[in-house]
Amino acid sequence: MEQKFKRRKDYLEKNFKYLTANEKIELERLKRLEAKELENQGNKTEELHKYDRRGNAQSNIRKTISKSEPKYEETSNTETNYDEDISVDDKDLENEKIPKEKKSKKPKKKKSFLRRLRNFLIIVLVLIIGFFAYGYFRVKNLPTANFSVEKFNGKKAKNGATNILILGTDQRDYQTTDDARSDSMMMLQIGGPDKKVKIVSFMRDTLVEIPGFSYEGYPDSKLNLAYNLGEQDNHKGADLTRETIKKNFGIDAEYYAMVNFSSFAEVIDSLFPAGVKIDAQFSTVDGEKVKQVEVPDDLRYGPNNLDPKQTIKVGKQRMDGRTLLNYARFRKDDEGDFGRTKRQQQVLEAIISQAKNPATLFTGPSAIGTIKALTSTNVPNTTVITKGIPAILNASKGIESYTVPELGDWQDVEDQYGGAALLVDFDKYKAKLKDTFGE
């Protein structure tokens, strides 16, 4: 049997468990070829079986084997070098290569890695759920917790952006939503074509037409009254505010998010344990510059403290939730309600821009659990992830903000109850907001 056939047969036998179907057929053919040659050789067959295990031939083998047949010797090592190309074409049986043993182990390694990755993800998921539950249940028994989600009939913006109506109500712990009015109203846009984060603030004393309550086409009520009227109509405060803004200013909201005094402070302290960095600024008071002001401290209100105050200094500082709330609500400087609206906008911008690490605001399970318990909102978790996190990252490049109306761009009038109100040019602001929001 020729040496190349012999080596091929030995190779196939040694790697039998890795052979393909064709290679096994090839091996059978080689065995038959070897048997046939041995049968023809007669005495040579007996002599071939006398090779010792190391492949050393007896001296009499050299005498009996034909000189025309190539000598077959193995190396001193017991293993053959199987990296050589030991293949036989179809005339010589088959042209196949046997995969190395190392290659056969790769799928096993990949499978093992995937199994470890799966187990790791399961552990992470369990931890996330656990921390979320902790954040939720640690505040669920507070008076400010467990807001119900209100019915909201908003629509998606035509340009694909997500508009969120943000409401801050003046509800105290001892009040129900029927007693409250919206202390701040903002429209937040994220995920627009230009990828900018945009905030439009509406002054609460702006005179507007409230659908279903005002005379058709006649503005006679303050904007913040819409929430109160809606809450008294089967808790539709957020949606009536949305309708009122759409009716008077031409922009709609897809979602809403709402907090009151106490829930705002709890959310801030949960997200920013070290406080929110802000540069506190006030207008003049009675024409004089101030270094500090005394502001109402609503969260300290009680039977034994009917007029609580807190002193806030001008300049850069860190504010906890209570201080940030009092700063945003102050309106006793010379800019009045416009100054308050401007500070509320500043507060929201500071919160968004300082959440540069998305995990702080959106993927911190404990914080998310707390927010869910303290906020009334219909924003889906998928929107938070797909649009909220990119918005946080984009906010580091700047936030485009606008106030309706602009400072001094109104007429001082009275509402239907005789209260001081602001009358604006609706056509002007509709055009401005359409350009700003890309509607």
Side-chain angles (χ1 to χ4, degrees):
M1 186 177 187
E2 292 188 17
Q3 182 179 0
K4 67 176 182 178
F5 293 152
K6 171 67 176 174
R7 295 178 63 194
R8 178 66 170 170
K9 182 182 77 68
D10 291 345
Y11 179 75
L12 292 174
E13 286 180 333
K14 184 170 183 178
N15 295 275
F16 183 79
K17 64 179 179 178
Y18 304 113
L19 300 186
T20 64
N22 288 337
E23 290 166 341
K24 290 179 180 178
I25 294 173
E26 178 188 356
L27 178 60
E28 291 300 320
R29 290 178 181 175
L30 286 170
K31 287 181 177 179
R32 289 198 299 271
L33 178 62
E34 181 184 49
K36 186 175 180 180
E37 288 192 4
L38 290 176
E39 183 180 352
N40 294 335
Q41 288 178 357
N43 293 334
K44 290 182 181 179
T45 302
E46 296 179 3
E47 296 299 329
L48 286 172
H49 286 292
K50 292 180 181 180
Y51 279 85
D52 62 19
R53 294 183 65 181
R54 294 184 179 180
N56 298 320
Q58 302 291 342
S59 59
N60 59 343
I61 294 176
R62 297 190 181 92
K63 296 178 182 179
T64 58
I65 296 178
S66 172
K67 294 181 180 180
S68 62
E69 184 175 343
K71 183 188 299 181
Y72 173 68
E73 293 183 1
E74 292 187 349
T75 61
S76 59
N77 295 326
T78 59
E79 296 184 358
T80 306
N81 181 6
Y82 293 107
D83 290 334
E84 298 180 20
D85 183 10
I86 314 174
S87 60
V88 184
D89 59 24
D90 197 30
K91 293 180 181 179
D92 294 333
L93 298 175
E94 291 288 335
N95 183 16
E96 293 282 347
K97 292 184 180 179
I98 305 301
K100 296 180 181 179
E101 187 175 353
K102 291 182 180 179
K103 291 184 179 179
S104 66
K105 292 183 179 179
K106 286 185 178 179
K108 294 182 179 180
K109 291 181 179 179
K110 184 177 181 181
K111 187 175 181 180
S112 177
F113 169 76
L114 292 176
R115 186 183 294 111
R116 291 197 299 270
L117 178 61
R118 180 198 63 189
N119 293 339
F120 172 76
L121 293 176
I122 290 174
I123 293 173
V124 171
L125 180 61
V126 170
L127 289 174
I128 288 176
I129 294 173
F131 280 112
F132 178 91
Y134 166 76
Y136 179 85
F137 286 107
R138 75 187 181 93
V139 297
K140 72 177 294 291
N141 292 323
L142 294 177
T144 54
N146 299 311
F147 271 107
S148 59
V149 178
E150 296 189 357
K151 184 177 180 181
F152 198 75
N153 298 312
K155 295 182 179 179
K156 190 172 185 63
K158 294 178 181 179
N159 62 359
T162 298
N163 294 341
I164 304 173
L165 176 62
I166 298 177
L167 299 174
T169 73
D170 61 3
Q171 178 187 352
R172 277 74 172 175
D173 290 343
Y174 54 86
Q175 293 178 317
T176 65
T177 57
D178 293 354
D179 302 318
R181 297 193 181 195
S182 50
D183 200 55
S184 63
M185 291 152 288
M186 301 182 189
M187 192 73 74
L188 170 68
Q189 184 179 88
I190 58 177
D194 57 7
K195 307 301 180 184
K196 292 182 179 179
V197 177
K198 301 176 182 179
I199 301 172
V200 173
S201 301
F202 298 90
M203 292 177 62
R204 53 178 267 171
D205 291 338
T206 304
L207 204 64
V208 295
E209 175 190 345
I210 301 178
F213 292 90
S214 299
Y215 290 106
E216 185 68 26
Y218 186 75
D220 58 5
S221 301
K222 294 181 182 180
L223 179 57
N224 70 334
L225 180 60
Y227 174 78
N228 180 258
L229 295 175
E231 283 300 299
Q232 294 175 23
D233 182 20
N234 198 23
H235 300 291
K236 298 177 183 176
D239 197 52
L240 185 56
T241 304
R242 176 195 65 81
E243 283 189 77
T244 302
I245 291 175
K246 181 182 178 182
K247 176 74 174 178
N248 292 270
F249 300 103
I251 58 173
D252 204 350
E254 185 177 2
Y255 303 113
Y256 83 95
M258 180 171 59
V259 294
N260 60 24
F261 287 174
S262 297
S263 60
F264 174 83
E266 289 284 351
V267 167
I268 293 301
D269 291 339
S270 175
L271 296 178
F272 304 96
V276 175
K277 292 186 294 184
I278 199 163
D279 186 5
Q281 297 296 326
F282 300 96
S283 178
T284 57
V285 176
D286 297 328
E288 299 289 334
K289 283 187 175 183
V290 294
K291 293 184 179 180
Q292 62 183 36
V293 295
E294 279 194 344
V295 301
D297 191 359
D298 289 282
L299 294 181
R300 293 291 186 268
Y301 178 87
N304 299 322
N305 193 9
L306 299 179
D307 188 25
K309 300 289 184 182
Q310 181 185 14
T311 300
I312 297 180
K313 294 182 178 180
V314 173
K316 295 180 180 180
Q317 56 194 285
R318 284 186 177 270
M319 293 186 180
D320 60 11
R322 164 178 156 261
T323 305
L324 201 64
L325 172 69
N326 294 336
Y327 172 72
R329 295 199 67 247
F330 180 72
R331 62 170 181 168
K332 296 298 183 181
D333 60 9
D334 291 339
E335 286 185 340
D337 195 47
F338 180 84
R340 171 163 65 178
T341 302
K342 187 169 62 175
R343 279 185 286 276
Q344 291 171 352
Q345 205 170 74
Q346 180 193 13
V347 166
L348 184 59
E349 290 179 11
I351 293 170
I352 294 175
S353 63
Q354 288 176 43
K356 293 180 180 178
N357 177 6
T360 302
L361 187 58
F362 292 108
T363 59
S366 179
I368 291 178
T370 300
I371 292 172
K372 282 292 184 181
L374 298 175
T375 305
S376 174
T377 181
N378 67 335
V379 180
N381 291 335
T382 52
T383 300
V384 170
I385 295 171
T386 59
K387 290 194 173 183
I389 292 177
I392 294 296
L393 299 177
N394 291 332
S396 62
K397 303 174 185 177
I399 298 174
E400 186 176 321
S401 58
Y402 187 63
T403 301
V404 177
E406 296 175 322
L407 181 59
D409 189 27
W410 63 75
Q411 297 178 39
D412 291 313
V413 295
E414 292 183 352
D415 64 6
Q416 60 179 318
Y417 304 106
L422 313 173
L423 182 62
V424 303
D425 184 341
F426 292 105
D427 290 336
K428 172 184 175 179
Y429 284 104
K430 281 182 180 179
K432 176 66 177 179
L433 294 180
K434 181 178 180 181
D435 181 63
T436 301
F437 274 42
E439 290 288 338

